[in-house]
Amino acid sequence: MPELAFSRRAALRGLGAAGLLAALTGCGVPAAYVPQERRRGEDVSARDRSVAFSNWPLYIDTDEEDEESRPTLDSFSERTGIEVRYTEEINDNDEFFGKISPALMNHQATGHDLVVVSDWMAARFVHLGWAQRMDRSTQGNVSKYLDPQLRSPAFDEGRLHTVPWQSGITGIAYNRKALGREIKSVGDLWKPDLAGKVTLFSGLDESFALLMQGNGVDVTRWTESDFHRMCDQVEELVRKKHIRRFTGNDYTSDLSKGDVLACQAYSGDAIQLQADNPDIEFVVPEEGAELWAESLLIPNLARHKANAEALVDHYYDPEVAAELAAAVNYVCPVPAAREVLAGSSDKETAELAENPLIFPDEDMRGRLVVARDISSAERRSLAKRWNSLVGL
């Protein structure tokens, strides 16, 4: 199974790199925004058949007999002759942002041709003008097969600068046998029998959408008033000790050990949790849940842009997307991969095609939305309010 999702959906701790960036741009450092005409550098793809691809740990398929071998990357290199220099160096969104932002701010190459970051971080790159526009005329698979629900997030309308690597759902996981009842809505978390047995995510970007949805808010157009009303509720629940604690990735162990009975959770984790304990259920609440993604982007001045675009399109071939989905078990951004898995001669692989946490059915899709991201103007005050609640 893949590494649990929270390390990829990492919490924004304090103001992190965003605060550093704001401080630097106010102290004589050149303006951070890069206009479109200054983003592209010399592309040496034609004469240097390579591409530098940075991803999170354990977020790609590997050969069962050789963990250093990644079949989907190997097939790309065999087909195109392009060598992929693959590194698993991204362990935290803000940490990685802090690593490469000095170069991008000073209009220098980063040494990265293709990276994977959470969409809220991808939004920061797009808003700063630090992500290059991809040439969709060379990406027929992306144009044809990208999930319609992920085609035009508010931060990157038309997906001009980003493409989902994998997707997922923030919902509710709970132990139905231990609780003795169903959970159907966010409001069910606040019933008396769950006092002290509920956890929420500590990360602002990970938590806010589901909690607002519980209030009936359309999170594609939420307001600061919606946010503060949600925070008022959470503050009261903390005061009453109804919420046991705010968690990172360790929420999975809390639920497995029985220390909590219900929690905010990611769909990718739920598959592993259910494999270990069939009493664990994952719920997309009646009010809806957030559909999120981690996305591929090409940083400014990347020297192998065309090769990176070819690699992105490779992963949107349904055959390749199916192979990756079978390995990592997140929501696949290529719905056509479902039919590929369904036709597998391996029973366990074929069953993945029927798993709604990998290929959401129409009923579930009707309750999934892509939340409006937090703007840079909003982030400082909203992060301060949220972090005061969760103790960051």
Side-chain angles (χ1 to χ4, degrees):
M1 300 301 296
E3 182 182 353
L4 296 177
F6 185 79
S7 60
R8 288 184 281 277
R9 300 269 299 160
L12 178 72
R13 300 198 178 276
L15 295 175
L20 173 62
L21 179 65
L24 289 175
T25 54
C27 297
V29 175
Y33 179 78
V34 179
Q36 187 72 42
E37 64 272 13
R38 296 189 62 191
R39 297 176 195 174
R40 183 161 185 165
E42 181 188 7
D43 190 346
V44 300
S45 293
R47 67 175 184 269
D48 183 357
R49 304 295 286 166
S50 68
V51 61
F53 178 21
S54 295
N55 202 350
W56 300 75
L58 306 177
Y59 208 18
I60 199 169
D61 55 304
T62 56
D63 189 301
E64 291 184 0
E65 297 181 359
D66 179 6
E67 292 186 358
E68 296 301 313
S69 173
R70 300 173 177 91
T72 57
L73 287 180
D74 294 342
S75 66
F76 172 75
S77 295
E78 290 168 6
R79 179 174 60 82
T80 65
I82 298 172
E83 176 193 0
V84 182
R85 301 192 302 275
Y86 184 79
T87 56
E88 296 183 334
E89 64 173 301
I90 304 176
N91 294 292
D92 176 272
N93 285 288
D94 268 335
E95 179 185 274
F96 184 69
F97 180 85
K99 178 179 179 179
I100 69 173
S101 59
L104 290 166
M105 192 182 305
N106 288 287
H107 313 300
Q108 298 170 349
T110 66
H112 298 79
D113 297 313
L114 190 64
V115 302
V116 178
V117 293
S118 298
D119 264 3
W120 61 265
M121 178 56 74
R124 190 181 297 174
F125 277 81
V126 172
H127 293 155
L128 287 168
W130 291 1
Q132 295 192 63
R133 182 168 179 166
M134 296 189 199
D135 182 359
R136 291 286 184 257
S137 69
T138 67
Q139 295 180 315
N141 289 331
V142 173
S143 299
K144 183 175 182 179
Y145 294 117
L146 173 57
D147 187 337
Q149 277 194 292
L150 296 169
R151 282 184 180 269
S152 194
F155 73 88
D156 187 19
E157 292 186 11
R159 282 284 184 187
L160 302 178
H161 307 86
T162 64
V163 174
W165 170 249
Q166 293 293 283
S167 185
I169 302 164
T170 299
I172 298 169
Y174 73 105
N175 188 318
R176 182 172 181 176
K177 182 177 180 180
L179 182 58
R181 64 173 172 89
E182 285 187 285
I183 289 180
K184 296 182 178 181
S185 70
V186 175
D188 287 339
L189 292 175
W190 318 137
K191 292 183 177 179
D193 59 347
L194 277 172
K197 293 291 185 178
V198 176
T199 62
L200 302 178
F201 288 138
S202 60
L204 168 60
D205 296 270
E206 289 69 42
S207 294
F208 80 93
L210 184 74
L211 299 175
M212 284 191 200
Q213 286 170 302
N215 291 333
V217 173
D218 177 356
V219 294
T220 66
R221 56 185 70 187
W222 59 269
T223 66
E224 288 196 39
S225 294
D226 296 324
F227 176 84
H228 287 295
R229 180 160 63 97
M230 177 271 291
C231 285
D232 290 343
Q233 294 171 329
V234 172
E235 189 171 34
E236 180 65 11
L237 290 162
V238 169
R239 187 187 67 79
K240 292 181 176 179
K241 296 184 170 26
H242 188 94
I243 297 172
R244 181 182 180 90
R245 67 188 187 104
F246 296 87
T247 70
N249 199 37
D250 48 345
Y251 80 91
T252 56
S253 61
D254 285 350
L255 187 62
S256 297
K257 292 186 296 185
D259 291 340
V260 303
L261 298 181
C263 57
Q264 275 190 311
Y266 300 124
S267 56
D269 293 347
I271 295 173
Q272 180 173 341
L273 288 166
Q274 290 167 341
D276 295 336
N277 183 351
D279 294 325
I280 301 295
E281 296 199 16
F282 181 85
V283 177
V284 171
E286 294 171 335
E287 308 94 336
E290 181 189 12
L291 180 67
W292 48 262
E294 277 104 23
S295 285
L296 297 147
L297 62 84
I298 300 172
N300 290 358
L301 304 181
R303 292 178 57 78
H304 304 88
K305 182 174 185 286
N307 292 346
E309 289 166 339
L311 181 56
V312 170
D313 203 54
H314 171 72
Y315 277 99
Y316 273 74
D317 179 322
E319 295 279 348
V320 178
E323 191 171 359
L324 180 61
V328 301
N329 292 168
Y330 285 88
V331 175
C332 181
V334 183
R338 180 179 181 276
E339 297 306 314
V340 176
L341 289 174
S344 173
S345 59
D346 180 80
K347 182 181 177 181
E348 288 187 5
T349 300
E351 287 175 349
L352 294 175
E354 303 306 317
N355 191 325
L357 301 186
I358 299 176
F359 297 99
D361 56 30
E362 289 306 309
D363 176 64
M364 184 178 288
R365 279 190 177 275
R367 287 175 282 138
L368 298 177
V369 295
V370 178
R372 173 178 80 79
D373 59 296
I374 300 169
S375 72
S376 56
E378 295 168 323
R379 183 167 292 278
R380 180 175 292 273
S381 63
L382 300 194
K384 183 177 181 181
R385 174 78 197 276
W386 180 255
N387 291 346
S388 69
L389 293 177
V390 304
L392 291 178

